[in-house]
Amino acid sequence: MNSAEKEVHDWLFKTVIGLNLCPFAKKPYNEGQIRIKSTNKKNKKEQIDFFLDELNTLQQSQNLTTSLVIFENATKDFFKFYEFEQNLSDMLYELSLEETFQLVSFHPKFIFEQEDKNSLAHYVNRSPLPLIHILRSKDIALALEESKDAEALSFRNQKKIENLSAQELRYYFPFLKDIK
């Protein structure tokens, strides 16, 4: 595990699982079904190739349920990174994999479009490094069936983050420099 993978692993364990931001992460984490891989490639084509290789690895595996694909040298601009993620999502359609996998982007400067730019709600999808979470659609469907209300989960996470003290925010999100 390189330093980028370790940093994302620690964030996954301490923040995502520790704060229970994703109640569906703990079980696959404990069962070793989450793969974390990174690339330091700067070239878009090489980044896409890396993503496709990771997608293939996940597709071929019976043991892995999800993968966190870290792009160490991706753009610092969240909106450009989100555009990159949308291009990868389009590729799922081109490969006829849109019903097999879904993608979620995380980024140190993640912004929910409908939220005030200073809202702590953005922290729900802020990660130490730009990454794309590849999820199996069937696992999402099962999780949503169990949770009954995914929208309530989103609001619960937002409230949870908003109720953290500045000290707690610095603990859970040490990679964010804008915490006062």
Side-chain angles (χ1 to χ4, degrees), residues 5 25 32 38 40 42 45 47 49 55 60 72 76 81 98 106 129 132 154 157 159 164 166 169 175:
E5 292 164 359
S38 68
N40 60 7
K42 293 180 182 178
K45 173 154 180 13
Q47 290 177 345
D49 288 344
L55 190 64
Q60 300 303 316
E72 296 176 51
K76 305 278 186 249
F81 184 73
E98 73 278 6
F106 290 84
L129 295 160
I132 306 275
S154 178
N157 284 342
K159 291 287 183 221
L164 294 175
L169 284 170
F175 49 89

Side-chain angles (χ1 to χ4, degrees), residues 34-37 54 58 65-69 132-134:
I34 298 174
R35 182 172 157 98
I36 301 172
K37 292 305 286 179
E54 191 59 25
L58 192 57
T65 60
T66 189
S67 183
L68 300 174
V69 184
I132 306 275
H133 186 184
I134 306 172

